[in-house]
Amino acid sequence: MKTLIHPRDERTQPARIVPGYPQTPLRNPGQPLVRRAPTLSELTGPVEVARRVRLLGGDIAGHGAKQAIGQLMHLRVRVLDEDGAPVGGTVVEIWQANAAGRYIHPNDDDHAPPDPNFYGAARLVTDASGAFELRTVKPGAYPVPTRDGWWRPPHVHFSLFGKVWLSRLVTQMYFPGEPLNAQDRILNAVPDPAARACLIARHVPPTGDPYNALVYEHQIVLRGRTATAEQS
Ligand SMILES: [Fe+2]
C-alpha cells in the first residue's frame, strides 16, 4: 500500500504556536510527538462520509428580501491529491464571518452586527473533478480579542475529509490584495512564501452571472509535498 505519511514540512506548514493567537496552544500538542505506524482504520476510513452527514446547500448568500448583506461572491474550489489528481467525493465544511466580520457563534461577542440573512456555514461534497462551488458574500475582517488587538484579514475556513482519516485538513483561504494579509499572524506563521501564496485565492472575471458576482478560484491539495498549509 502506498504510504500516506509524510514528515511534516516545517517550511510549508505553519508554526504550531502563534504568538497572540490564544487558541493555538490549545490546538497543538504540548509534548513531543511519538511516531507510530498508522492503523488500518486510519488508512481505510472513514467510508462514505458524504452519505453519513447532512450536506448543506452551496448557496448561503440568500435571495430576494432575504439576501445577505455584502459583496456577492462565487467561490470555486478544486481539491487535489498529492499527485494532482482530483479528489471527488470529499466532504468539505466551510465557515466564514459575515460582511461585517461577525460569526454566528456564541463565542463571537464582537461589536460588529450579525446578519439575520447570513448563517455563514456550508457542508458540501466535491464532484468527480474535485470541484465545488459556493455562492456567498465576501467576509469582512475582524479584530482578534487579545490585548494588542490585531485584525484578521478576510478569510474563509475549510475542513476537508479526504479519502482516509489521515488526509483530514483544516485550512483557511485568503483574498488577494488585502492589506491585512501582510500582518496576519496565522497566514504568516507559514515560513515559505510560495506556500503562503497558495493560501490566497485567485480573482477571475465574472462568467455570465446576472448579478456580476465576484468570482474567486482556489485550489486545495491534500497531503504530499505541495500540501496546502494547515490553518487552524
Ligand atoms: Fe476566522
Side-chain angles (χ1 to χ4, degrees):
M1 177 184 289
K2 182 180 178 182
T3 180
L4 289 158
I5 305 299
H6 298 276
R8 191 177 197 271
D9 185 339
E10 301 297 341
R11 278 201 54 76
T12 61
Q13 295 296 320
R16 295 184 191 276
I17 308 296
V18 177
Y21 196 69
Q23 288 90 342
T24 52
L26 304 174
R27 294 174 181 166
N28 284 280
Q31 300 290 326
L33 300 181
V34 176
R35 287 196 76 85
R36 64 161 176 78
T39 65
L40 183 62
S41 61
E42 285 172 328
L43 294 173
T44 58
V47 177
E48 297 184 330
V49 179
R51 200 169 55 79
R52 295 169 182 234
V53 297
R54 189 163 66 92
L55 298 175
L56 306 172
D59 183 349
I60 57 174
H63 291 272
K66 291 189 174 295
Q67 288 188 64
I69 293 171
Q71 300 165 318
L72 190 62
M73 172 178 95
H74 286 188
L75 181 56
R76 296 179 181 146
V77 180
R78 282 193 80 206
V79 180
L80 306 175
D81 72 9
E82 57 207 283
D83 300 318
V87 187
T90 297
V91 172
V92 184
E93 294 181 321
I94 308 157
W95 64 101
Q96 63 164 89
N98 69 22
R102 177 82 182 261
Y103 287 101
I104 293 186
H105 191 282
N107 288 352
D108 190 345
D109 56 2
D110 187 47
H111 69 282
D115 180 348
N117 297 321
F118 189 66
Y119 176 64
R123 184 184 292 126
L124 305 168
V125 60
T126 58
D127 65 18
S129 68
F132 68 86
E133 181 163 340
L134 180 70
R135 180 178 179 273
T136 181
V137 294
K138 188 176 176 187
Y142 60 80
V144 177
T146 55
R147 271 194 208 141
D148 53 348
W150 57 288
W151 279 62
R152 298 230 53 216
H155 61 277
V156 178
H157 294 262
F158 298 102
S159 167
L160 298 98
F161 295 84
K163 288 194 185 305
V164 298
W165 288 117
L166 293 176
S167 55
R168 172 98 192 279
L169 173 67
V170 177
T171 188
Q172 299 179 35
M173 183 207 87
Y174 302 84
F175 293 86
E178 292 288 338
L180 288 169
N181 286 348
Q183 54 191 273
D184 184 58
R185 299 183 192 181
I186 302 294
L187 173 59
N188 291 287
V190 176
D192 182 48
R196 286 200 302 275
C198 290
L199 295 172
I200 299 174
R202 198 163 64 97
H203 176 238
V204 298
T207 51
D209 162 45
Y211 299 101
N212 275 334
L214 289 165
V215 181
Y216 289 94
E217 293 181 347
H218 190 52
Q219 182 171 293
I220 297 174
V221 179
L222 299 172
R223 303 194 61 83
R225 284 187 192 81
T226 58
T228 301
E230 301 164 11
Q231 296 274 276
S232 60

